[in-house]
Each structure stands twice: as C-alpha cells, then as structure tokens.
Amino acid sequence: MTASGDPTSAPGLLPADTTEDVRARRPTMAVLPIGSFEQHGAHLPLTTDTVIACTIAREVAAGRPVQLLPPLTVSCSHEHAAWPGTVSISARTLHALVTDIADSLRRSGIGTLILVNGHGGNYVLRNVVQESAGSGVRMALFPGSADWDAARTRAGVRTSGHTDMHAGEAETSILLHAHPELVKEGYESADCVADDRKHLLTLGMSAYSESGVIGRPSLASARKGKELLAGLVEAFDEYAALLGAGTEAHD
C-alpha cells in the first residue's frame, strides 16, 4: 500500500451538495468535521485526523436531514511541532472559527451544530460547546470518550484508549478500512508504547516518541476499522435523538 500525499486521493471527503440539494432536505442540524494537519509517524499522512473526522461525519450524516459541512483541516497541534509538516492555529482562532460558523448557520435557519472532532488536542472545542448555551445554536462534541470506548470494544481493539494515543491501532484500522491507499507500508513494525507521559503538553510528543507514533499500529486491521465506524454510527443515534435530527433513509 502506498500513500500519494494528495488529500484528493481520498474520495468523498468533501460534500457535493448543491444549493438545491440543501433546500430540498431542509436541514435543521449541521455536522462539522474538525481534523488537523500534523505528523502521524511514517505510515499515515499529515491529514489523518481530517480524513478520519470526514469519514465519521459522512457516515453519521448518511440518510439524515442534516447539512454536512467541509472540514476544518488545521487546528491545535502544537505538541507535534517537532516534526516537519505539522501546522497549527491557536485555540482562540479555532474557537472563533467554530463560533463564526455556528452564527452563520443560525442565520440560515440551522440551530444545531455537531462538531465531529478527529484530533484529541482540540481541547478548546469543549469550551465552545459549553459556551453555546443560550447562543441560539445548540452544539455537541462527537465522538465522546465513552463513544470511542464502546466502539473499540465492539471492534476488538486490543490497546486501551490511553495506550493507543496517536497513529496507533484505531487510527490505522480506520484508514485501512476507509482509505487504504493512504496507509504506507511499515505500520506493522511501528509500535511505540509510552503510557507514562505525564508532561506531554509541556514537553511535546518528541519527549515520548522518536517516530511520532504512540500506540500499536501493528494490531490494526481493516475489519477493526469497519467495526469502529459502525460503533460510532450507532453511538451517534443518541446525539441525533437528543438534538432532534431524525432519519430518512438511515438504518
């Protein structure tokens, strides 16, 4: 398997709706994928978190009367700055981007926004959702840690969420299933376990991993990736029910 390095080589990541498609669907909820542009070791692309967020967003939006938005592709990846290629924006910029998008959606009649976050370092998104109360746009952050835990159990992922932090079993599995053309050879021997990383935010990833990997990608499989996505889609049903996004063709 080889990766071309071209993000357009992962088809279907951008919504293809026209204005008339949105008008006919009359959505009251929007889904915004939020990724990152950061190192993922030697076997996964810089766009990994964005590809995963888009893949999850596409799956949960399928068959529902929602507006699927294009992704935010650069976010808060400062802990990965030691590796070439990584690009970050500040937490305040990400906060402003998301709240501006929510305001624009509100003006167009969409009062609910689900943030599908693919990067664990985007801590500020919790505050964005927290602050949305009374703003005229209801928000939720998905998937939550409990959603990931349930999906990991369903898929038979062997590493814990703590051990499998970055470019490990879960992320590699999802790409092996959804976009295998983006996975380079070598993941089978790229394991790096660094469970004791108390000062990661202060010291950065490079203090705990020479390769940029923290996890066990050698355990990844396309089957696990398929089940991970299925588990997350199932978990989203609770969010859709809570926030009032019904289904049309979803099953």
Side-chain angles (χ1 to χ4, degrees), residues 25 69 81 87 115 142 171 173 222:
R25 196 179 306 124
L69 300 172
V87 179
L115 310 178
F142 179 81
E171 288 190 321
S173 290

Side-chain angles (χ1 to χ4, degrees), residues 159-165 192-198 208 214-215:
T159 42
S160 69
H162 178 74
T163 297
D164 194 42
M165 176 200 170
C192 174
V193 176
D195 285 349
D196 183 8
R197 47 179 194 272
K198 180 179 179 179
Y208 300 96
I214 293 182

Side-chain angles (χ1 to χ4, degrees), residues 122-138:
N122 290 335
Y123 308 109
V124 71
L125 296 180
R126 293 177 176 270
N127 297 111
V128 174
V129 172
Q130 179 188 39
E131 294 167 13
S132 67
S135 69
V137 177
R138 296 185 302 173

Side-chain angles (χ1 to χ4, degrees), residues 1-249:
M1 287 164 291
T2 60
S4 70
D6 179 0
T8 62
S9 67
L13 293 182
L14 296 178
D17 286 340
T18 67
T19 297
E20 294 307 313
D21 294 329
V22 177
R23 179 178 287 127
R25 196 179 306 124
R26 293 187 296 177
T28 58
M29 174 187 288
V31 175
L32 175 64
I34 303 175
S36 71
F37 197 76
E38 66 186 34
Q39 70 84 21
H40 274 76
H43 67 282
L44 296 181
L46 294 161
T47 55
T48 291
D49 289 343
T50 299
V51 172
I52 289 175
C54 287
T55 301
I56 295 170
R58 182 182 61 201
E59 293 286 331
V60 301
R64 288 192 168 96
V66 304
Q67 182 169 355
L68 178 59
L69 300 172
L72 298 182
T73 58
V74 178
S75 61
C76 304
S77 302
H78 311 279
E79 68 273 28
H80 299 275
W83 283 271
T86 298
V87 179
S88 291
I89 58 176
S90 69
R92 61 185 176 273
T93 298
L94 182 58
H95 187 297
L97 283 168
V98 174
T99 54
D100 281 356
I101 289 169
D103 286 345
S104 179
L105 290 167
R106 177 182 51 79
R107 290 192 294 272
S108 69
I110 295 178
T112 301
L113 176 61
I114 307 295
L115 310 178
V116 176
N117 181 38
H119 173 48
N122 290 335
Y123 308 109
V124 71
L125 296 180
R126 293 177 176 270
N127 297 111
V128 174
V129 172
Q130 179 188 39
E131 294 167 13
S132 67
S135 69
V137 177
R138 296 185 302 173
M139 291 192 200
L141 184 61
F142 179 81
S145 57
D147 305 318
W148 274 115
D149 288 345
R152 294 169 73 89
T153 298
R154 170 179 175 147
V157 172
R158 290 169 54 187
T159 42
S160 69
H162 178 74
T163 297
D164 194 42
M165 176 200 170
H166 190 70
E169 184 177 2
E171 288 190 321
T172 305
S173 290
I174 290 174
L175 287 193
L176 282 172
H177 164 63
H179 299 288
E181 72 281 1
L182 297 182
V183 182
K184 285 189 175 181
E185 295 177 355
Y187 70 90
E188 304 91 341
S189 58
D191 291 4
C192 174
V193 176
D195 285 349
D196 183 8
R197 47 179 194 272
K198 180 179 179 179
H199 300 292
L200 185 142
L201 290 182
T202 299
L203 301 177
M205 283 276 292
S206 60
Y208 300 96
S209 172
E210 292 184 5
S211 66
V213 174
I214 293 182
R216 299 184 64 190
S218 67
L219 300 176
S221 71
R223 180 198 61 78
K224 290 177 182 177
K226 180 178 180 181
E227 289 301 314
L228 280 164
L229 285 175
L232 293 175
V233 170
E234 185 175 293
F236 188 77
D237 289 341
E238 178 183 351
Y239 292 75
L242 179 69
L243 297 171
T247 61
E248 291 178 345

